[in-house]
Amino acid sequence: MDVAVVGAGTVGTAVAVLLGRAGHRIVAVAGRAETRERAARYLPGVEFVRALEAAAAATLVVIGTPDDAVEPVAADLAAAGAVGPGTTVVHLSGSLGVDTLRAARDAGAIVLSVHPLQTFPDVDAALERLPGSPVAVTAETDEGYVLGERLAKDLGATPFRLDEELRPLYHAAAVFASNYLVTTSAIAESLFGAAGVPDPAATMAPLQRASLEHVERLGAATALTGPAVRGDAGTIRRNLEALARHAPATVPAYVAMARASLELAERSGRLVPGVRAAVEDVLDAWT
């Protein structure tokens, strides 16, 4: 297929490179000034043009813009006649459904979404990690699903079908699995540093790796350890007192995560009967 990428950021650029390696022809990219520089490095020889020109030259238009720009970009392309019958328009957002591409659909294009369930801090990491990653495919027709699955396989990824209405829930799950994992890691690193632990990031890394390995091998409920699953109200109280003294801004997050851990422990049958009330009393005192 002749492919154009509108908004060739980190993921869009990696998608273009991998599709090119799979035999597709990357005809053009469009975007901001940094897109030009990125394309020159990773897609040498590919034209950098305006979005309308890029889309008009392609049979597959990949929209890799930030989420809020996906719908207006699709609308602009459709209004200008740059997409229509014979064109497939795909966006890479995890939270948006294909209805954001309705202007392109109404113009006659096939529309779908392809979202890699992976984190990509830069293009090199994306090129390394996207192959082998799961990819969520959402489309309006079976033809669209088949095409999305083909594209995912061309990326070296493993596709799975995701219903339109469940995409925001899916994306919220991804935020917990990745973004909030990084945020809690940053909090832990700061607290370890305040406690005098040398090289906090490296010191806590084996603990974090083991925890993720246990989740993958055993499931989250069985992998859970710590004071909440033990019903250890005294330890939780001492943790909160220490946080209040040294990092008071982290107290609400600790309380929220302790409640979630307590719920998981009880739901999985691992909480010792009768201890939840004592833990709840401690948490209530800090709410």
Side-chain angles (χ1 to χ4, degrees), residues 9-241:
T10 296
V11 182
T13 300
V15 165
V17 171
L18 293 172
L19 289 178
R21 291 176 183 175
H24 298 277
R25 191 165 73 99
I26 314 304
V27 296
V29 297
R32 296 174 294 187
E34 54 266 37
T35 302
R36 183 194 293 272
E37 297 170 6
R38 196 179 296 112
R41 176 180 176 186
Y42 291 98
L43 297 164
V46 174
E47 283 192 288
F48 180 87
V49 297
R50 295 185 307 127
L52 298 180
E53 295 175 59
T59 54
L60 173 66
V61 179
V62 178
I63 299 179
T65 62
D67 287 3
D68 288 347
V70 170
E71 186 169 353
V73 165
D76 288 346
L77 296 179
V83 297
T87 307
T88 297
V89 180
V90 54
H91 73 65
L92 304 175
S93 167
S95 66
L96 299 178
V98 294
D99 190 55
T100 55
L101 302 174
R102 58 186 173 276
R105 177 196 61 212
D106 293 345
I110 296 172
V111 296
L112 59 141
S113 173
V114 173
H115 177 257
L117 186 58
Q118 184 55 274
T119 179
F120 306 121
D122 53 46
V123 176
D124 290 326
L127 291 171
E128 177 184 353
R129 295 174 185 169
L130 207 162
S133 294
V135 165
V137 177
T138 300
E140 296 182 321
T141 65
D142 193 60
E143 178 187 8
Y145 273 113
V146 170
L147 177 56
E149 290 164 345
R150 173 193 161 193
L151 291 173
K153 291 175 182 177
D154 286 346
L155 296 173
T158 303
F160 64 94
R161 296 188 178 192
L162 182 66
D163 289 343
E164 168 93 356
E165 64 271 18
L166 295 178
R167 288 188 71 86
L169 180 63
Y170 153 84
H171 194 261
V175 169
F176 272 104
S178 178
N179 309 141
Y180 292 165
L181 179 65
V182 174
T183 301
T184 57
S185 296
I187 293 172
E189 182 179 356
S190 175
L191 295 175
F192 276 130
V197 175
D199 196 357
T203 301
M204 71 183 188
L207 170 64
Q208 293 189 298
R209 281 194 293 269
S211 297
L212 288 174
E213 288 168 3
H214 293 162
V215 169
E216 182 178 11
R217 183 168 59 89
L218 304 172
T222 303
L224 181 65
T225 61
V229 73
R230 294 193 302 267
D232 193 343
T235 296
I236 291 173
R237 175 179 50 78
R238 287 189 291 275
N239 285 172
L240 286 165
E241 289 171 348

